[in-house]
Amino acid sequence: MSLHLAPPFPHLFDASDRPKTGLWICSGSPTAAEIIGGSGCDWVLIDGEHSPITVEKTLSLLQAVAAYPVVPVVRVPVNDTVLIKQFLDLGAQNIMVPMVHTAEDARRAVAAMHYPPRGVRGVGSALARSSRWNLVDNYLAHAAESISLIVQIESAEAVSQAAEIAGTEGVDALFIGPSDLAASMGYLGQQTHPEVLDNVRRTIAAAKEARVVVGVNCFNLEQARSYAEQGVDFIAIGADVQILASGSQAMLAKFNS
């Protein structure tokens, strides 16, 4: 028996006339992950940075959404070679790396994604879900074809180097984080400040110039539509915990009024 892995995240954007919408999975609940997976969104972000989701928990969440027509993206907590290796080995095909401020940061993330001589990823695929325990034919030779790297632009420094980061070989997509970007600019909590919006626009333009897929995080639906009009390829518009919190509060407020 032999298996073949599905293509990675960037292929989701082929021949699309709208940005692909995504939702975060932050709770760590496989049940919530299934609900999000069946919601009709195009992709899900399993968040290992701002949540209690560990490497082991990520595996159960990947398994939970596997039955649904969504593309899972796993955000690692930090740009770390060992952690990226672990998430890849457990079968995460689409890795998002936060806080990539420079082209050197981007090159380090690329190296962590790939086996030598291209990179520094340790070889343990025979023991790992990534190769389905050697059921994937010639996994080592073709691993690069089944993974993608998304790097986050979320600081003023990163915006200034966006063109170089986008042009880094091995970077498949940029994902803009307006919240941390605003904080780095001295506008904490002001994601729609005009200067923040201008830096987001500049980053989108840099990605388009480099012909690299670009996305953005935005839970403000009105602003999200504005980003869609600017030509982003993918966008995250909500999270399981945020939907539960806002939905439950709105229902109680409506009933109690």
Side-chain angles (χ1 to χ4, degrees):
M1 177 180 179
S2 63
L3 299 177
H4 299 279
L5 295 178
F9 186 65
H11 292 264
L12 189 66
F13 309 117
D14 292 349
S16 176
D17 59 357
R18 65 169 178 83
K20 300 301 185 179
T21 50
L23 297 172
W24 291 34
I25 298 170
C26 300
S27 64
S29 164
T31 300
E34 285 206 63
I35 293 170
I36 293 296
S39 68
C41 62
D42 299 298
W43 63 283
V44 295
L45 176 63
I46 298 173
D47 183 31
E49 183 187 16
H50 290 295
S51 76
I53 297 173
T54 61
V55 174
E56 184 176 6
K57 177 59 71 173
T58 296
L59 174 57
S60 66
L61 298 175
L62 287 171
Q63 292 168 332
V65 302
Y68 298 88
V70 294
V71 175
V73 176
V74 174
R75 180 161 71 171
V76 299
V78 66
N79 189 0
D80 179 85
T81 299
V82 173
L83 280 174
I84 291 172
K85 172 180 61 180
Q86 286 184 298
F87 280 100
L88 286 171
D89 281 352
L90 66 77
Q93 291 179 252
N94 309 291
I95 298 291
M96 181 181 288
V97 177
M99 297 292 180
V100 173
H101 304 299
T102 66
E104 178 55 36
D105 289 342
R107 287 190 287 270
R108 185 154 46 90
V110 170
M113 294 284 292
H114 296 283
Y115 294 119
R118 184 178 181 183
V120 296
R121 179 182 174 185
V123 180
S125 60
L127 310 174
R129 182 174 178 266
S130 57
S131 72
R132 301 305 185 264
W133 301 277
N134 272 348
L135 288 178
V136 175
D137 285 337
N138 206 9
Y139 175 79
L140 292 176
H142 299 289
E145 302 165 14
S146 66
I147 59 176
S148 74
L149 172 63
I150 305 159
V151 301
Q152 284 201 258
I153 304 296
E154 44 189 344
S155 69
E157 181 182 15
V159 172
S160 71
Q161 294 200 37
E164 191 174 355
I165 293 171
T168 301
E169 185 177 358
V171 168
D172 296 296
L174 305 185
F175 188 68
I176 306 163
S179 294
D180 280 305
L181 174 58
S184 79
M185 297 173 61
Y187 301 119
L188 182 65
Q190 302 179 58
Q191 294 92 312
T192 57
H193 188 282
E195 291 185 30
V196 177
L197 295 179
D198 183 61
N199 273 347
V200 173
R201 179 193 59 77
R202 288 171 53 200
T203 305
I204 294 170
K208 293 295 182 183
E209 179 68 22
R211 297 185 178 181
V212 169
V213 171
V214 60
V216 65
N217 187 64
C218 186
F219 291 2
N220 178 320
L221 296 188
E222 182 178 352
Q223 184 58 47
R225 292 189 182 97
S226 175
Y227 290 141
E229 292 170 357
Q230 294 177 47
V232 295
D233 300 290
F234 64 113
I235 189 165
I237 61 171
D240 56 356
V241 292
Q242 171 249 347
I243 294 167
L244 177 61
S246 61
S248 59
Q249 291 165 22
M251 180 178 66
L252 287 168
K254 182 177 181 179
F255 181 81
N256 290 334
S257 65

